[in-house]
Amino acid sequence: MAKDKDIESTREHTRILSQSDIAKERAHDSRMNRKSGGMSPLVGTLRAVMITLIGLALAVIILLITFFSLKHNYFDPVDRNDGTPVRVEIPSGSSLSTIADILYEHGIIRNTGVFKVYVDFNDMSSKMKAGTYDLSRDMTLDDVIGILGTGTSNISVTTFTATEGMTITDIAEMFVETGILDDSQDFLDICESGVGVDALTFDVFTADGQATTDEAREQYTTGVKYLLEGYLFPDTYEIFINSAPETIINKMLNRFQDIYSADYLARTQELGMTINDVVTLASIIEREGKPQDFKKISAVFHNRIKQDDKLQSCATVQYVIGVKKYQFTSEELAVVSPYNTYVVAGLPIAPISNPGKQAIEAALYPDEEYLSQGYYFFCSKDPESGELAFAKTYEEHQANVALYESLWEAYDSKLE
């Protein structure tokens, strides 16, 4: 029995040791788990917070990159280093879209859509004002909107008036006298060659404005004094002070294009003339009389052109010798020049002045009565009044000359 008790005691001790060992093992495993990276609730929470912060940081970085990219591509000045003034004209009545297009075309803004949204956002869409402004590529959107919103132009402008019948040399002298140009040479060079200005949108050497061949154009222009004579339309113009000669010339050429309408083109074709023929005839009419007689003068010249006769226009002689007078010597009348209609039959080679609208219309629509009745001559009655005497026959014309030539002599004597 004692032996049995010893055995039982030993088993009980073994069980106690086993449970103790199990507890120790569990404690050891727990420590080992912590050492080997096992995650406690606190560590898990910290890890989740860190992931969230990293995600937010990435999102902020992406937003910043997007913001600065949009700012650079759409909102920043086009070129921060370019402060060169760019003259921009906003016409009266321009819509916000039109203003945006104008600014974009001049390189002042990066994007028209962003500009319009930004203007609307700032409640400035109804405050944009027409005018002429000096802007630059280094301006911000706020700078541009601020200037257009106040309507305060920093541009100095001036006006000039080219009157009907002025020649290119007359206009050049006027520009120098009024201070519009310091020197006339560049202006004259451009008018002579046509280089440096925009071409007319239609060809003046045809009836319908369609292009001619290079060979035909060379034939028309060889020997011409000023290629642009006749096409600098007489009118009153507003220009920027210190405008370049080509800018002024383009403005005048554009005005001519506005005047020479589709109806004029159709009538030009009907007459079997070129645009240059019409302008050339109009330039002579302009220099020969007053507007009230333009259509009658035109009828006389049309009658002579039909007969392939010489126009015998004193205005063309004046253009050749550079002197305005009423009586000419036989030597002056015989000066060899493609402009002298006492020498060449029909129209001269090119216009001798820049005619106005009334003279152009007279060239296109001569007086029907004088045309049908065959009026063939005219002369000045009184140079002071500009009245003319018309005649059908040479004998009638000679009688008029005898009647009025003393008045021509008196007028010419004042010019000496």
Side-chain angles (χ1 to χ4, degrees):
M1 288 294 294
K3 186 176 181 178
D4 291 338
K5 287 182 180 180
D6 289 339
I7 292 172
E8 187 66 28
S9 175
T10 301
R11 289 177 179 170
E12 185 65 25
H13 178 69
T14 300
R15 282 196 299 269
I16 292 171
L17 288 175
S18 297
Q19 289 176 357
S20 175
D21 290 341
I22 290 172
K24 289 179 181 179
E25 287 178 4
R26 286 178 178 173
H28 175 74
D29 290 343
S30 178
R31 287 193 300 272
M32 291 300 293
N33 283 338
R34 287 196 293 270
K35 289 181 180 180
S36 62
M39 185 179 296
S40 69
L42 178 59
V43 171
T45 301
L46 290 174
R47 183 177 182 183
V49 170
M50 289 298 296
I51 292 173
T52 301
L53 291 175
I54 292 171
L56 288 174
L58 290 173
V60 169
I61 291 171
I62 292 171
L63 286 173
L64 288 174
I65 292 172
T66 303
F67 170 78
F68 285 110
S69 176
L70 290 173
K71 181 175 179 293
H72 173 73
N73 291 322
Y74 299 108
F75 291 91
D76 277 356
V78 175
D79 187 347
R80 291 186 182 277
N81 299 315
D82 186 1
T84 305
V86 177
R87 195 147 290 172
V88 177
E89 184 173 352
I90 306 298
S92 178
S94 295
S95 66
L96 181 58
S97 292
T98 300
I99 294 172
D101 289 339
I102 292 171
L103 294 175
Y104 182 78
E105 289 168 4
H106 284 78
I108 303 301
I109 60 175
R110 291 178 175 270
N111 184 280
T112 57
V114 170
F115 175 81
K116 289 186 288 185
V117 170
Y118 196 72
V119 170
D120 282 333
F121 178 79
N122 286 278
D123 194 27
M124 291 290 290
S125 57
S126 63
K127 299 174 184 177
M128 300 287 99
K129 294 179 176 61
T132 303
Y133 306 89
D134 261 350
L135 306 176
S136 59
R137 291 160 60 86
D138 64 351
M139 285 185 172
T140 65
L141 287 184
D142 288 327
D143 293 334
V144 175
I145 293 171
I147 291 173
L148 299 185
T150 62
T152 303
S153 175
N154 57 349
I155 306 302
S156 297
V157 298
T158 187
T159 61
F160 73 87
T161 299
T163 57
E164 292 84 352
M166 291 181 77
T167 65
I168 278 177
T169 54
D170 292 334
I171 295 172
E173 290 173 5
M174 181 263 292
F175 283 156
V176 174
E177 290 171 1
T178 57
I180 289 174
L181 296 176
D182 294 330
D183 181 84
S184 64
Q185 194 56 55
D186 286 345
F187 174 82
L188 293 173
D189 288 344
I190 294 169
C191 290
E192 180 182 352
S193 65
V195 175
V197 297
D198 296 337
L200 294 171
T201 57
F202 51 73
D203 196 319
V204 300
F205 302 113
T206 63
D208 58 2
Q210 300 302 309
T212 57
T213 63
D214 291 339
E215 292 79 6
R217 179 179 291 278
E218 184 177 354
Q219 177 185 350
Y220 285 127
T221 58
T222 300
V224 172
K225 187 176 182 180
Y226 291 109
L227 288 179
L228 300 184
E229 189 84 87
Y231 302 98
L232 302 187
F233 192 79
D235 206 341
T236 297
Y237 297 90
E238 183 179 84
I239 59 171
F240 306 125
I241 291 176
N242 299 323
S243 288
E246 54 268 33
T247 301
I248 300 172
I249 291 170
N250 278 329
K251 205 172 187 74
M252 300 180 79
L253 289 176
N254 289 335
R255 183 65 180 132
F256 173 83
Q257 292 185 156
D258 293 340
I259 294 298
Y260 213 96
S261 64
D263 289 340
Y264 285 4
L265 285 172
R267 178 61 175 168
T268 303
Q269 288 181 284
E270 185 181 331
L271 291 172
M273 301 173 75
T274 67
I275 298 169
N276 195 59
D277 290 339
V278 173
V279 176
T280 299
L281 178 54
S283 73
I284 301 173
I285 294 170
E286 190 76 72
R287 299 283 288 191
E288 284 284 8
K290 299 293 184 182
Q292 61 267 24
D293 289 325
F294 280 174
K295 289 183 178 291
K296 296 176 183 178
I297 298 171
S298 179
V300 170
F301 288 144
H302 273 282
N303 285 334
R304 284 176 170 261
I305 291 170
K306 286 178 183 177
Q307 299 299 320
D308 195 26
D309 203 349
K310 295 181 178 69
L311 300 188
Q312 295 186 323
S313 165
C314 292
T316 62
V317 181
Q318 293 172 356
Y319 188 75
V320 172
I321 67 175
V323 177
K324 182 178 181 180
K325 60 181 182 177
Y326 281 83
Q327 291 188 304
F328 299 93
T329 66
S330 57
E331 290 80 9
E332 288 171 333
L333 294 177
V335 171
V336 177
S337 169
Y339 286 96
N340 186 357
T341 57
Y342 277 86
V343 174
V344 299
L347 292 167
I349 189 173
I352 64 167
S353 73
N354 294 279
K357 186 175 183 180
Q358 285 182 284
I360 293 173
E361 287 188 346
L364 291 167
Y365 303 96
D367 186 283
E368 291 293 341
E369 181 182 350
Y370 275 55
L371 198 63
S372 62
Q373 292 187 17
Y375 277 86
Y376 216 74
F377 303 92
F378 65 87
C379 68
S380 173
K381 285 184 178 180
D382 180 2
E384 298 291 349
S385 67
E387 290 182 84
L388 301 178
F390 291 86
K392 299 177 185 178
T393 67
Y394 181 69
E395 290 74 23
E396 291 173 345
H397 176 62
Q398 285 297 95
N400 287 334
V401 171
L403 185 60
Y404 300 115
E405 64 179 345
S406 61
L407 295 176
W408 308 345
E409 291 175 2
Y411 183 86
D412 287 348
S413 65
K414 295 179 183 178
L415 301 176
E416 296 176 356

PDB file of all heavy atoms in Angstrom, residues 85-114:
ATOM      1  N   PRO A  85       5.572  95.622 -75.321  1.00  0.00           N
ATOM      2  CA  PRO A  85       4.181  96.059 -75.499  1.00  0.00           C
ATOM      3  C   PRO A  85       3.563  95.451 -76.756  1.00  0.00           C
ATOM      4  O   PRO A  85       4.190  95.395 -77.813  1.00  0.00           O
ATOM      5  CB  PRO A  85       4.304  97.580 -75.632  1.00  0.00           C
ATOM      6  CG  PRO A  85       5.619  97.922 -75.028  1.00  0.00           C
ATOM      7  CD  PRO A  85       6.509  96.753 -75.316  1.00  0.00           C
ATOM      8  N   VAL A  86       2.351  94.964 -76.615  1.00  0.00           N
ATOM      9  CA  VAL A  86       1.588  94.429 -77.740  1.00  0.00           C
ATOM     10  C   VAL A  86       0.318  95.258 -77.851  1.00  0.00           C
ATOM     11  O   VAL A  86      -0.494  95.300 -76.927  1.00  0.00           O
ATOM     12  CB  VAL A  86       1.229  92.943 -77.524  1.00  0.00           C
ATOM     13  CG1 VAL A  86       0.378  92.438 -78.674  1.00  0.00           C
ATOM     14  CG2 VAL A  86       2.488  92.110 -77.374  1.00  0.00           C
ATOM     15  N   ARG A  87       0.158  95.924 -78.968  1.00  0.00           N
ATOM     16  CA  ARG A  87      -1.002  96.800 -79.146  1.00  0.00           C
ATOM     17  C   ARG A  87      -2.220  95.972 -79.508  1.00  0.00           C
ATOM     18  O   ARG A  87      -2.236  95.228 -80.489  1.00  0.00           O
ATOM     19  CB  ARG A  87      -0.704  97.829 -80.233  1.00  0.00           C
ATOM     20  CG  ARG A  87      -1.692  98.985 -80.242  1.00  0.00           C
ATOM     21  CD  ARG A  87      -0.992 100.250 -80.676  1.00  0.00           C
ATOM     22  NE  ARG A  87      -0.063 100.699 -79.649  1.00  0.00           N
ATOM     23  CZ  ARG A  87       0.788 101.695 -79.852  1.00  0.00           C
ATOM     24  NH1 ARG A  87       0.843 102.306 -81.010  1.00  0.00           N
ATOM     25  NH2 ARG A  87       1.595 102.082 -78.882  1.00  0.00           N
ATOM     26  N   VAL A  88      -3.249  96.085 -78.689  1.00  0.00           N
ATOM     27  CA  VAL A  88      -4.463  95.290 -78.862  1.00  0.00           C
ATOM     28  C   VAL A  88      -5.666  96.225 -78.957  1.00  0.00           C
ATOM     29  O   VAL A  88      -5.852  97.095 -78.114  1.00  0.00           O
ATOM     30  CB  VAL A  88      -4.662  94.311 -77.680  1.00  0.00           C
ATOM     31  CG1 VAL A  88      -5.956  93.539 -77.841  1.00  0.00           C
ATOM     32  CG2 VAL A  88      -3.482  93.365 -77.573  1.00  0.00           C
ATOM     33  N   GLU A  89      -6.467  96.008 -79.987  1.00  0.00           N
ATOM     34  CA  GLU A  89      -7.665  96.831 -80.175  1.00  0.00           C
ATOM     35  C   GLU A  89      -8.903  95.980 -79.935  1.00  0.00           C
ATOM     36  O   GLU A  89      -9.108  94.952 -80.594  1.00  0.00           O
ATOM     37  CB  GLU A  89      -7.689  97.417 -81.586  1.00  0.00           C
ATOM     38  CG  GLU A  89      -8.864  98.357 -81.814  1.00  0.00           C
ATOM     39  CD  GLU A  89      -8.803  99.064 -83.156  1.00  0.00           C
ATOM     40  OE1 GLU A  89      -7.758  98.937 -83.836  1.00  0.00           O
ATOM     41  OE2 GLU A  89      -9.776  99.736 -83.515  1.00  0.00           O
ATOM     42  N   ILE A  90      -9.731  96.399 -78.982  1.00  0.00           N
ATOM     43  CA  ILE A  90     -10.994  95.724 -78.690  1.00  0.00           C
ATOM     44  C   ILE A  90     -12.111  96.563 -79.304  1.00  0.00           C
ATOM     45  O   ILE A  90     -12.409  97.657 -78.817  1.00  0.00           O
ATOM     46  CB  ILE A  90     -11.220  95.563 -77.173  1.00  0.00           C
ATOM     47  CG1 ILE A  90     -10.016  94.873 -76.504  1.00  0.00           C
ATOM     48  CG2 ILE A  90     -12.503  94.802 -76.910  1.00  0.00           C
ATOM     49  CD1 ILE A  90      -9.761  93.481 -76.997  1.00  0.00           C
ATOM     50  N   PRO A  91     -12.728  96.089 -80.385  1.00  0.00           N
ATOM     51  CA  PRO A  91     -13.775  96.881 -81.044  1.00  0.00           C
ATOM     52  C   PRO A  91     -14.997  97.065 -80.155  1.00  0.00           C
ATOM     53  O   PRO A  91     -15.279  96.255 -79.268  1.00  0.00           O
ATOM     54  CB  PRO A  91     -14.129  96.044 -82.277  1.00  0.00           C
ATOM     55  CG  PRO A  91     -12.957  95.133 -82.476  1.00  0.00           C
ATOM     56  CD  PRO A  91     -12.445  94.848 -81.104  1.00  0.00           C
ATOM     57  N   SER A  92     -15.712  98.143 -80.413  1.00  0.00           N
ATOM     58  CA  SER A  92     -16.936  98.412 -79.667  1.00  0.00           C
ATOM     59  C   SER A  92     -17.946  97.297 -79.906  1.00  0.00           C
ATOM     60  O   SER A  92     -18.110  96.814 -81.031  1.00  0.00           O
ATOM     61  CB  SER A  92     -17.523  99.757 -80.119  1.00  0.00           C
ATOM     62  OG  SER A  92     -18.724 100.027 -79.442  1.00  0.00           O
ATOM     63  N   GLY A  93     -18.629  96.884 -78.846  1.00  0.00           N
ATOM     64  CA  GLY A  93     -19.638  95.845 -78.955  1.00  0.00           C
ATOM     65  C   GLY A  93     -19.091  94.428 -78.944  1.00  0.00           C
ATOM     66  O   GLY A  93     -19.834  93.476 -79.173  1.00  0.00           O
ATOM     67  N   SER A  94     -17.808  94.259 -78.660  1.00  0.00           N
ATOM     68  CA  SER A  94     -17.203  92.920 -78.661  1.00  0.00           C
ATOM     69  C   SER A  94     -17.748  92.080 -77.511  1.00  0.00           C
ATOM     70  O   SER A  94     -17.864  92.554 -76.376  1.00  0.00           O
ATOM     71  CB  SER A  94     -15.684  93.020 -78.532  1.00  0.00           C
ATOM     72  OG  SER A  94     -15.113  93.654 -79.649  1.00  0.00           O
ATOM     73  N   SER A  95     -18.097  90.838 -77.798  1.00  0.00           N
ATOM     74  CA  SER A  95     -18.535  89.906 -76.760  1.00  0.00           C
ATOM     75  C   SER A  95     -17.315  89.402 -75.997  1.00  0.00           C
ATOM     76  O   SER A  95     -16.170  89.593 -76.418  1.00  0.00           O
ATOM     77  CB  SER A  95     -19.269  88.726 -77.392  1.00  0.00           C
ATOM     78  OG  SER A  95     -18.374  87.965 -78.192  1.00  0.00           O
ATOM     79  N   LEU A  96     -17.582  88.722 -74.879  1.00  0.00           N
ATOM     80  CA  LEU A  96     -16.484  88.166 -74.091  1.00  0.00           C
ATOM     81  C   LEU A  96     -15.696  87.151 -74.918  1.00  0.00           C
ATOM     82  O   LEU A  96     -14.468  87.099 -74.851  1.00  0.00           O
ATOM     83  CB  LEU A  96     -17.026  87.514 -72.814  1.00  0.00           C
ATOM     84  CG  LEU A  96     -15.977  86.898 -71.876  1.00  0.00           C
ATOM     85  CD1 LEU A  96     -14.952  87.938 -71.445  1.00  0.00           C
ATOM     86  CD2 LEU A  96     -16.673  86.286 -70.645  1.00  0.00           C
ATOM     87  N   SER A  97     -16.409  86.366 -75.726  1.00  0.00           N
ATOM     88  CA  SER A  97     -15.731  85.382 -76.576  1.00  0.00           C
ATOM     89  C   SER A  97     -14.832  86.071 -77.592  1.00  0.00           C
ATOM     90  O   SER A  97     -13.708  85.622 -77.849  1.00  0.00           O
ATOM     91  CB  SER A  97     -16.764  84.516 -77.304  1.00  0.00           C
ATOM     92  OG  SER A  97     -17.465  83.696 -76.396  1.00  0.00           O
ATOM     93  N   THR A  98     -15.315  87.171 -78.162  1.00  0.00           N
ATOM     94  CA  THR A  98     -14.518  87.915 -79.140  1.00  0.00           C
ATOM     95  C   THR A  98     -13.269  88.485 -78.484  1.00  0.00           C
ATOM     96  O   THR A  98     -12.164  88.425 -79.038  1.00  0.00           O
ATOM     97  CB  THR A  98     -15.341  89.052 -79.756  1.00  0.00           C
ATOM     98  OG1 THR A  98     -16.486  88.498 -80.418  1.00  0.00           O
ATOM     99  CG2 THR A  98     -14.522  89.848 -80.765  1.00  0.00           C
ATOM    100  N   ILE A  99     -13.439  89.051 -77.286  1.00  0.00           N
ATOM    101  CA  ILE A  99     -12.297  89.606 -76.551  1.00  0.00           C
ATOM    102  C   ILE A  99     -11.279  88.523 -76.261  1.00  0.00           C
ATOM    103  O   ILE A  99     -10.066  88.716 -76.443  1.00  0.00           O
ATOM    104  CB  ILE A  99     -12.771  90.268 -75.243  1.00  0.00           C
ATOM    105  CG1 ILE A  99     -13.649  91.496 -75.552  1.00  0.00           C
ATOM    106  CG2 ILE A  99     -11.583  90.671 -74.371  1.00  0.00           C
ATOM    107  CD1 ILE A  99     -14.302  92.095 -74.331  1.00  0.00           C
ATOM    108  N   ALA A 100     -11.760  87.356 -75.828  1.00  0.00           N
ATOM    109  CA  ALA A 100     -10.856  86.244 -75.531  1.00  0.00           C
ATOM    110  C   ALA A 100     -10.085  85.826 -76.781  1.00  0.00           C
ATOM    111  O   ALA A 100      -8.875  85.576 -76.726  1.00  0.00           O
ATOM    112  CB  ALA A 100     -11.643  85.068 -74.969  1.00  0.00           C
ATOM    113  N   ASP A 101     -10.782  85.754 -77.905  1.00  0.00           N
ATOM    114  CA  ASP A 101     -10.122  85.367 -79.159  1.00  0.00           C
ATOM    115  C   ASP A 101      -9.050  86.384 -79.560  1.00  0.00           C
ATOM    116  O   ASP A 101      -7.953  86.013 -80.006  1.00  0.00           O
ATOM    117  CB  ASP A 101     -11.154  85.246 -80.282  1.00  0.00           C
ATOM    118  CG  ASP A 101     -12.064  84.041 -80.111  1.00  0.00           C
ATOM    119  OD1 ASP A 101     -11.676  83.108 -79.385  1.00  0.00           O
ATOM    120  OD2 ASP A 101     -13.167  84.038 -80.697  1.00  0.00           O
ATOM    121  N   ILE A 102      -9.358  87.674 -79.408  1.00  0.00           N
ATOM    122  CA  ILE A 102      -8.409  88.731 -79.768  1.00  0.00           C
ATOM    123  C   ILE A 102      -7.158  88.638 -78.893  1.00  0.00           C
ATOM    124  O   ILE A 102      -6.029  88.708 -79.384  1.00  0.00           O
ATOM    125  CB  ILE A 102      -9.053  90.117 -79.634  1.00  0.00           C
ATOM    126  CG1 ILE A 102     -10.140  90.290 -80.702  1.00  0.00           C
ATOM    127  CG2 ILE A 102      -8.009  91.231 -79.752  1.00  0.00           C
ATOM    128  CD1 ILE A 102     -10.976  91.551 -80.519  1.00  0.00           C
ATOM    129  N   LEU A 103      -7.365  88.458 -77.596  1.00  0.00           N
ATOM    130  CA  LEU A 103      -6.232  88.364 -76.670  1.00  0.00           C
ATOM    131  C   LEU A 103      -5.381  87.135 -76.963  1.00  0.00           C
ATOM    132  O   LEU A 103      -4.151  87.185 -76.907  1.00  0.00           O
ATOM    133  CB  LEU A 103      -6.737  88.327 -75.225  1.00  0.00           C
ATOM    134  CG  LEU A 103      -7.428  89.592 -74.720  1.00  0.00           C
ATOM    135  CD1 LEU A 103      -7.990  89.360 -73.317  1.00  0.00           C
ATOM    136  CD2 LEU A 103      -6.465  90.777 -74.708  1.00  0.00           C
ATOM    137  N   TYR A 104      -6.035  86.027 -77.287  1.00  0.00           N
ATOM    138  CA  TYR A 104      -5.299  84.796 -77.601  1.00  0.00           C
ATOM    139  C   TYR A 104      -4.490  84.958 -78.887  1.00  0.00           C
ATOM    140  O   TYR A 104      -3.323  84.543 -78.966  1.00  0.00           O
ATOM    141  CB  TYR A 104      -6.275  83.629 -77.737  1.00  0.00           C
ATOM    142  CG  TYR A 104      -5.597  82.308 -78.016  1.00  0.00           C
ATOM    143  CD1 TYR A 104      -4.975  81.598 -76.997  1.00  0.00           C
ATOM    144  CD2 TYR A 104      -5.575  81.784 -79.307  1.00  0.00           C
ATOM    145  CE1 TYR A 104      -4.342  80.389 -77.245  1.00  0.00           C
ATOM    146  CE2 TYR A 104      -4.948  80.583 -79.575  1.00  0.00           C
ATOM    147  CZ  TYR A 104      -4.337  79.891 -78.533  1.00  0.00           C
ATOM    148  OH  TYR A 104      -3.712  78.696 -78.793  1.00  0.00           O
ATOM    149  N   GLU A 105      -5.103  85.575 -79.898  1.00  0.00           N
ATOM    150  CA  GLU A 105      -4.412  85.781 -81.176  1.00  0.00           C
ATOM    151  C   GLU A 105      -3.187  86.674 -81.016  1.00  0.00           C
ATOM    152  O   GLU A 105      -2.202  86.533 -81.751  1.00  0.00           O
ATOM    153  CB  GLU A 105      -5.373  86.391 -82.196  1.00  0.00           C
ATOM    154  CG  GLU A 105      -6.445  85.418 -82.675  1.00  0.00           C
ATOM    155  CD  GLU A 105      -7.545  86.108 -83.453  1.00  0.00           C
ATOM    156  OE1 GLU A 105      -7.421  87.341 -83.679  1.00  0.00           O
ATOM    157  OE2 GLU A 105      -8.516  85.433 -83.835  1.00  0.00           O
ATOM    158  N   HIS A 106      -3.243  87.596 -80.048  1.00  0.00           N
ATOM    159  CA  HIS A 106      -2.110  88.492 -79.810  1.00  0.00           C
ATOM    160  C   HIS A 106      -1.111  87.906 -78.809  1.00  0.00           C
ATOM    161  O   HIS A 106      -0.130  88.562 -78.462  1.00  0.00           O
ATOM    162  CB  HIS A 106      -2.600  89.853 -79.301  1.00  0.00           C
ATOM    163  CG  HIS A 106      -3.199  90.715 -80.381  1.00  0.00           C
ATOM    164  ND1 HIS A 106      -4.469  90.530 -80.864  1.00  0.00           N
ATOM    165  CD2 HIS A 106      -2.681  91.774 -81.074  1.00  0.00           C
ATOM    166  CE1 HIS A 106      -4.719  91.432 -81.803  1.00  0.00           C
ATOM    167  NE2 HIS A 106      -3.655  92.187 -81.950  1.00  0.00           N
ATOM    168  N   GLY A 107      -1.372  86.677 -78.337  1.00  0.00           N
ATOM    169  CA  GLY A 107      -0.435  86.018 -77.438  1.00  0.00           C
ATOM    170  C   GLY A 107      -0.449  86.554 -76.021  1.00  0.00           C
ATOM    171  O   GLY A 107       0.540  86.428 -75.295  1.00  0.00           O
ATOM    172  N   ILE A 108      -1.579  87.143 -75.582  1.00  0.00           N
ATOM    173  CA  ILE A 108      -1.663  87.736 -74.247  1.00  0.00           C
ATOM    174  C   ILE A 108      -2.157  86.727 -73.219  1.00  0.00           C
ATOM    175  O   ILE A 108      -1.815  86.812 -72.046  1.00  0.00           O
ATOM    176  CB  ILE A 108      -2.581  88.975 -74.267  1.00  0.00           C
ATOM    177  CG1 ILE A 108      -2.075  89.994 -75.294  1.00  0.00           C
ATOM    178  CG2 ILE A 108      -2.675  89.612 -72.888  1.00  0.00           C
ATOM    179  CD1 ILE A 108      -0.666  90.481 -75.041  1.00  0.00           C
ATOM    180  N   ILE A 109      -3.000  85.778 -73.634  1.00  0.00           N
ATOM    181  CA  ILE A 109      -3.520  84.762 -72.718  1.00  0.00           C
ATOM    182  C   ILE A 109      -3.202  83.383 -73.271  1.00  0.00           C
ATOM    183  O   ILE A 109      -2.947  83.219 -74.467  1.00  0.00           O
ATOM    184  CB  ILE A 109      -5.043  84.901 -72.487  1.00  0.00           C
ATOM    185  CG1 ILE A 109      -5.802  84.753 -73.819  1.00  0.00           C
ATOM    186  CG2 ILE A 109      -5.364  86.226 -71.815  1.00  0.00           C
ATOM    187  CD1 ILE A 109      -7.317  84.744 -73.670  1.00  0.00           C
ATOM    188  N   ARG A 110      -3.244  82.388 -72.365  1.00  0.00           N
ATOM    189  CA  ARG A 110      -2.888  81.026 -72.751  1.00  0.00           C
ATOM    190  C   ARG A 110      -4.078  80.238 -73.281  1.00  0.00           C
ATOM    191  O   ARG A 110      -3.913  79.349 -74.120  1.00  0.00           O
ATOM    192  CB  ARG A 110      -2.301  80.281 -71.551  1.00  0.00           C
ATOM    193  CG  ARG A 110      -0.925  80.785 -71.117  1.00  0.00           C
ATOM    194  CD  ARG A 110      -0.450  80.029 -69.891  1.00  0.00           C
ATOM    195  NE  ARG A 110       0.910  80.396 -69.514  1.00  0.00           N
ATOM    196  CZ  ARG A 110       2.007  79.785 -69.959  1.00  0.00           C
ATOM    197  NH1 ARG A 110       1.874  78.774 -70.795  1.00  0.00           N
ATOM    198  NH2 ARG A 110       3.208  80.179 -69.580  1.00  0.00           N
ATOM    199  N   ASN A 111      -5.272  80.537 -72.778  1.00  0.00           N
ATOM    200  CA  ASN A 111      -6.436  79.727 -73.124  1.00  0.00           C
ATOM    201  C   ASN A 111      -7.695  80.591 -73.079  1.00  0.00           C
ATOM    202  O   ASN A 111      -7.942  81.268 -72.073  1.00  0.00           O
ATOM    203  CB  ASN A 111      -6.543  78.542 -72.151  1.00  0.00           C
ATOM    204  CG  ASN A 111      -7.670  77.601 -72.492  1.00  0.00           C
ATOM    205  OD1 ASN A 111      -8.828  77.866 -72.170  1.00  0.00           O
ATOM    206  ND2 ASN A 111      -7.340  76.498 -73.142  1.00  0.00           N
ATOM    207  N   THR A 112      -8.487  80.580 -74.137  1.00  0.00           N
ATOM    208  CA  THR A 112      -9.682  81.423 -74.187  1.00  0.00           C
ATOM    209  C   THR A 112     -10.766  80.952 -73.218  1.00  0.00           C
ATOM    210  O   THR A 112     -11.426  81.769 -72.584  1.00  0.00           O
ATOM    211  CB  THR A 112     -10.262  81.443 -75.611  1.00  0.00           C
ATOM    212  OG1 THR A 112     -10.559  80.100 -76.028  1.00  0.00           O
ATOM    213  CG2 THR A 112      -9.269  82.057 -76.590  1.00  0.00           C
ATOM    214  N   GLY A 113     -10.925  79.613 -73.099  1.00  0.00           N
ATOM    215  CA  GLY A 113     -11.961  79.085 -72.208  1.00  0.00           C
ATOM    216  C   GLY A 113     -11.699  79.435 -70.764  1.00  0.00           C
ATOM    217  O   GLY A 113     -12.604  79.864 -70.035  1.00  0.00           O
ATOM    218  N   VAL A 114     -10.446  79.272 -70.325  1.00  0.00           N
ATOM    219  CA  VAL A 114     -10.085  79.605 -68.949  1.00  0.00           C
ATOM    220  C   VAL A 114     -10.264  81.098 -68.703  1.00  0.00           C
ATOM    221  O   VAL A 114     -10.751  81.505 -67.645  1.00  0.00           O
ATOM    222  CB  VAL A 114      -8.629  79.179 -68.666  1.00  0.00           C
ATOM    223  CG1 VAL A 114      -8.154  79.731 -67.323  1.00  0.00           C
ATOM    224  CG2 VAL A 114      -8.511  77.662 -68.674  1.00  0.00           C
TER     225      VAL A 114
END
